[in-house]
Amino acid sequence: MTHPRISKIVILTGAGISAESGVATFRDQDGIWAKYDYRDVATPDGFARDPQLVLDFYNMRRRKHGDVQPNAAHLALARLEAEHPANVVIVTQNVDALHEAAGSKALIHMHGEILKRKCGNCGLQEQWSNDITRQSVCPNCKQAGTLRPDVVWFGEMPYHMETIAEHLQSADLFLSIGTSGHVYPAAGFVAEAGLHGAKTVELNLEPSEGTSLFDETIHGYAGEIVPAYVARLLAEASDR
Ligand code: APR
């Protein structure tokens, strides 16, 4: 059976792909937003109101990051990039570094990264895996109390949106993995890709908010359904 030639695969990932690595999701039963009010810890207003609470929230998540490893789903996507003839790009909403740890190279962190910090005064952005406190001094402008996690908060513009739009417009295949489809602009990517002719597939534990927008939906644990789907894509590519 001949399969349409796929030359560009764009993959959106969310917290669900990291769940089996032990990283908490946001909107599941025991998720992060069941324990914290996002308005307190993931908005500029929350940071202005109580910067230490916000810094401690991300310090706790950054410390936990040291104990987690990529799972079979992250590894399968790295294998897809390495072995499939198509150009494969991952756009992740996740701030963890598990795609990098799995070996993925073409990766866009649209919501920033937990292992980076930035200065609200001079704009410095740098890798950072330790705590950030109100006393932390920016190595560039030497100001104290201006450093924050380089994470995109609600109400802030996600990173690399123009590049992401270009990828969505040239995709032959769009995969959405481990996201609830609650948060825009990521939740709108399936419509954008579909509009430009991509086949759209959802791989998630349960139907997302936007599940009806997808050409195909595969439900199950990412650690199982993603490696199986990648194996299918690689087999189809070798059939050509
Ligand atoms: N395998 C596959 N999917 C899973 C698994 C798993 N093991 N565990 C959970 N899921 C699914 C859930 O069913 C849910 O649909 O992953 C999705 C996680 O949804 P959210 O917790 O809402 O996370 P996400 O979609 O990434 O949130 C988007 O919201 O709070 C902001 O900035 C934050 O980037 C985040 C954005």
Side-chain angles (χ1 to χ4, degrees):
M1 175 183 164
T2 58
H3 302 286
R5 176 180 169 68
I6 300 173
S7 56
K8 177 79 175 267
I9 303 174
V10 178
I11 305 167
L12 173 68
T13 63
I17 199 170
S18 297
E20 290 156 82
S21 294
V23 180
T25 62
F26 293 95
R27 293 174 185 80
D28 284 330
Q29 208 70 33
D30 56 348
I32 291 175
W33 299 146
K35 300 182 179 101
Y36 295 86
D37 183 329
Y38 78 90
R39 289 164 297 194
D40 293 335
V41 294
T43 62
D45 289 348
F47 187 56
R49 209 166 34 246
D50 188 345
Q52 197 55 54
L53 173 73
V54 175
L55 293 174
D56 288 344
F57 173 69
Y58 286 96
N59 288 340
M60 172 270 291
R61 291 174 67 196
R62 195 177 300 107
R63 282 190 215 131
K64 282 187 180 171
H65 191 282
D67 304 332
V68 297
Q69 296 297 324
N71 63 56
H74 297 105
L75 294 166
L77 295 188
R79 179 183 175 215
L80 183 69
E81 181 182 17
E83 298 179 16
H84 198 282
N87 172 10
V88 176
V89 177
I90 296 174
V91 179
T92 189
Q93 299 173 90
N94 301 339
V95 296
D96 65 52
L98 293 176
H99 283 302
E100 294 89 330
S104 289
K105 303 276 181 285
L107 177 62
I108 297 173
H109 277 278
M110 65 181 289
H111 288 168
E113 299 173 61
I114 193 78
L115 297 182
K116 278 191 175 171
R117 68 179 182 175
K118 71 177 179 182
C119 176
N121 178 53
C122 71
L124 164 99
Q125 285 174 285
E126 63 176 1
Q127 293 292 341
W128 188 254
S129 52
N130 300 317
D131 283 1
I132 304 172
T133 70
R134 300 285 290 135
Q135 291 69 42
S136 301
V137 174
C138 173
N140 183 48
C141 69
K142 312 299 181 204
Q143 292 290 306
T146 57
L147 289 163
R148 58 168 274 192
D150 189 6
V151 168
V152 177
W153 287 330
F154 288 95
E156 294 184 324
M157 179 58 79
Y159 288 145
H160 312 299
M161 285 308 293
E162 279 182 30
T163 305
I164 293 169
E166 287 162 15
H167 286 312
L168 293 171
Q169 287 157 20
S170 59
D172 302 304
L173 178 62
F174 174 78
L175 308 181
S176 177
I177 302 174
T179 182
S180 61
H182 267 96
V183 176
Y184 285 81
F189 289 175
V190 54
E192 177 75 5
L195 197 65
H196 290 88
K199 177 183 176 188
T200 57
V201 183
E202 170 172 88
L203 295 99
N204 204 54
L205 186 58
E206 59 199 11
S208 72
E209 281 288 295
T211 198
S212 61
L213 299 171
F214 289 88
D215 298 318
E216 187 180 350
T217 54
I218 301 169
H219 295 137
Y221 288 99
E224 293 161 19
I225 61 177
V226 175
Y229 191 73
V230 165
R232 186 173 129 194
L233 287 175
L234 291 172
E236 288 171 2
S238 64
D239 272 358
R240 284 193 51 77

